[in-house]
Amino acid sequence: MKKFSILIFVSIFSLFLVDNFIHFYPQHLPKKFINFLTHKAQSRAKLNNPELSKYIYEDFIFYAKPNTKFYREDGSHFQSDENGYISNNNDFNKGEEVDILVIGDSFTYELVKNLRTKLSNQISIYNIGFAGQGIHHWKYQYKRFLKINNLKKPELVLINYYEGNDLLETERALIFNNMGYKNSAFYPTNQYFNLNKFKRKISYFNEIKSIAGNLLFLTSSKFKKKKILTANNNTTNFDSLIKYSDECFIKLENGENLIVSSFNEQNIESKKNLIETLSFFSNENVKIIINYIPSTYTIYHKKLLKNKKFLNSEKVYANNVEYFNKIIKSKNIKALNFTDQIIKKTETSPLHDCSAKDSHFNKKGFEFISKKISNELNQVFYGR
């Protein structure tokens, strides 16, 4: 009995040591295996072995490695330039003034591509927007651009604010920054990340549990049905879809919410950061235009009105815009908001992918919104 107890103790302790070796030195494991580990272990692996990622991680921001291809679910791809941004290598000459500098998240990729076709060839436009980054990151990406461009400022900065999750992206970043994790490798990709697990100094079989959980999920996920958000059911906003028609289902981003205002009392830090960030840009002595991008919920909210959860959806959107406009007005920044026109346009056809593979605007949607923005840029900024 004593030998058996010793054997059990040695086995458990050995397992504990293996678990913590994985936790602290994940970079020594195969890349596919690392994806099964906890977020903290994955972050360590990315920091200690840059070859594991397509991104370069710095304090507060990340960006792509130069000239790297990223593939979408439909097989198409986009590519980073020599600076790690989703733009073209010939979009500007270093040390020369860029006419329009675009800031935001992944929405900017297709937006800039469309704007190029609608603006004069004499107008240079460069994108430093990057997926997964919110308000908190805007000024740091801007500062990096200035270093790249020998401190030469752009003539105009076009900021794209996404109602759906920019505040949550900011809240997530601020939480980790305040914990002392300033390097962007530690930012989780999911806003609903469990911080209690992250704060632990050592692992108590967390890596083994994570590996087991991921393996179990992989074996069962193919049987998991996606939740469909229609006018007649009640689902959460996780992995949800909006039913536009029997043939069209539109994907939602995690974090999108039209039940509670984005600027509610729980988002004090994010609201403060938005004000501070816009103050920073106001003091840069460059022209600023901020474009308000409505969430998918807002755009298709009429499809949800039969659901009691969303009866206040129009009021929530109105509250979001009212608070947002107050901030913009106080900073003397020009704001663009084409939400009403977008909603009206979707009454006849959707402006998002109907296969629910991509939550961004579809080709028609980007065409519509870029035309509106280019008209403003030509008329308001260039007087054309």
Side-chain angles (χ1 to χ4, degrees):
M1 184 67 181
K2 186 176 180 181
K3 288 183 179 180
F4 180 74
S5 298
I6 293 173
L7 181 63
I8 293 294
F9 174 79
V10 171
S11 299
I12 293 174
F13 186 70
S14 299
L15 202 60
F16 175 77
L17 292 178
V18 170
D19 183 70
N20 274 276
F21 177 83
I22 293 172
H23 185 68
F24 286 101
Y25 304 101
Q27 64 271 20
H28 298 299
L29 303 174
K31 186 177 181 179
K32 290 184 178 179
F33 191 80
I34 291 172
N35 294 330
F36 291 166
L37 304 181
T38 64
H39 174 73
K40 198 168 189 177
Q42 290 186 46
S43 301
R44 283 201 179 101
K46 287 184 286 189
L47 282 175
N48 293 316
N49 190 352
E51 297 301 316
L52 293 173
S53 177
K54 290 184 174 182
Y55 302 99
I56 296 174
Y57 298 95
E58 294 182 357
D59 284 358
F60 309 116
I61 58 171
F62 60 87
Y63 47 90
K65 290 179 179 177
N67 304 309
T68 301
K69 288 184 179 180
F70 296 86
Y71 290 88
R72 300 184 178 96
E73 288 188 45
D74 62 4
S76 63
H77 74 274
F78 51 89
Q79 183 170 323
S80 62
D81 67 358
E82 62 186 359
N83 301 314
Y85 293 120
I86 310 304
S87 213
N88 298 326
N89 282 320
N90 59 350
D91 276 347
F92 80 100
N93 297 316
K94 292 180 181 179
E96 295 183 4
E97 184 180 68
V98 173
D99 292 317
I100 304 171
L101 183 69
V102 181
I103 297 177
D105 57 14
S106 54
F107 171 84
T108 62
Y109 302 172
E110 291 297 325
L111 174 66
V112 170
K113 186 193 294 186
N114 277 268
L115 285 176
R116 285 194 190 101
T117 66
K118 293 173 174 55
L119 296 171
S120 166
N121 290 333
Q122 296 179 346
I123 299 172
S124 58
I125 181 169
Y126 189 69
N127 175 46
I128 61 170
F130 215 87
Q133 308 217 338
I135 302 158
H136 176 67
H137 311 97
W138 294 345
K139 67 179 179 181
Y140 296 108
Q141 293 287 16
Y142 176 80
K143 288 179 178 180
R144 179 175 183 261
F145 168 79
L146 291 184
K147 287 183 180 179
I148 292 171
N149 205 31
N150 301 326
L151 301 181
K152 188 73 174 179
K153 294 181 180 180
E155 191 168 350
L156 180 145
V157 176
L158 175 63
I159 300 172
N160 294 277
Y161 169 79
Y162 180 53
E163 178 190 36
N165 58 17
D166 271 4
L167 280 174
L168 279 174
E169 300 283 4
T170 298
E171 181 184 7
R172 178 189 68 187
L174 291 174
I175 288 172
F176 278 78
N177 288 170
N178 293 338
M179 288 169 56
Y181 295 97
K182 293 184 179 181
N183 192 289
S184 59
F186 289 102
Y187 296 165
T189 55
N190 188 334
Q191 292 94 333
Y192 310 97
F193 183 72
N194 189 329
L195 286 174
N196 291 327
K197 292 181 180 178
F198 192 89
K199 291 177 180 177
R200 293 170 180 163
K201 299 293 183 183
I202 60 175
S203 177
Y204 294 97
F205 305 103
N206 297 314
E207 302 304 336
I208 291 172
K209 285 188 286 186
S210 180
I211 294 166
N214 277 289
L215 288 173
L216 185 64
F217 174 78
L218 283 178
T219 56
S220 62
S221 61
K222 61 182 178 180
F223 302 108
K224 184 182 178 184
K225 293 182 179 179
K226 284 193 173 183
K227 298 173 182 177
I228 298 175
L229 183 57
T230 69
N232 301 313
N233 66 16
N234 289 295
T235 77
T236 64
N237 60 344
F238 297 96
D239 300 320
S240 296
L241 311 175
I242 288 179
K243 182 179 179 181
Y244 182 87
S245 67
D246 289 339
E247 296 80 28
C248 181
F249 294 92
I250 295 169
K251 182 181 178 181
L252 296 164
E253 286 279 1
N254 277 343
E256 287 196 36
N257 194 332
L258 204 59
I259 302 172
V260 181
S261 171
S262 302
F263 297 103
N264 60 61
E265 293 180 359
Q266 296 178 352
N267 289 332
I268 295 174
E269 288 256 1
S270 298
K271 289 190 292 187
K272 182 181 177 183
N273 188 262
L274 174 60
I275 294 169
E276 290 175 348
T277 300
L278 293 179
S279 296
F280 166 82
F281 282 105
S282 294
N283 294 329
E284 278 297 287
N285 295 320
V286 296
K287 295 177 182 177
I288 309 289
I289 294 179
I290 187 163
N291 176 41
Y292 190 100
I293 308 165
S295 71
T296 319
Y297 268 128
T298 294
I299 295 171
Y300 300 98
H301 73 276
K302 291 181 180 179
K303 299 285 182 183
L304 308 170
L305 291 180
K306 291 181 182 178
N307 186 329
K308 292 181 179 179
K309 279 177 67 178
F310 301 99
L311 287 177
N312 293 324
S313 58
E314 289 185 347
K315 185 178 179 181
V316 170
Y317 163 68
N319 289 340
N320 287 345
V321 173
E322 182 183 7
Y323 187 89
F324 185 81
N325 286 342
K326 283 182 181 178
I327 297 174
I328 299 303
K329 191 175 181 180
S330 68
K331 303 302 174 187
N332 197 28
I333 295 174
K334 179 175 177 59
L336 305 179
N337 189 341
F338 304 108
T339 301
D340 291 341
Q341 295 98 310
I342 292 171
I343 292 174
K344 187 175 181 179
K345 190 75 173 175
T346 59
E347 291 176 359
T348 55
S349 63
L351 295 181
H352 290 74
D353 174 33
C354 279
S355 67
K357 290 182 178 179
D358 192 340
S359 58
H360 298 88
F361 285 116
N362 58 19
K363 185 177 181 180
K364 188 176 180 180
F366 274 113
E367 174 73 20
F368 180 77
I369 192 69
S370 61
K371 186 176 181 180
K372 295 288 184 184
I373 295 172
S374 63
N375 287 341
E376 291 290 335
L377 289 172
N378 283 323
Q379 184 178 354
V380 176
F381 186 71
Y382 295 103
R384 298 173 188 171

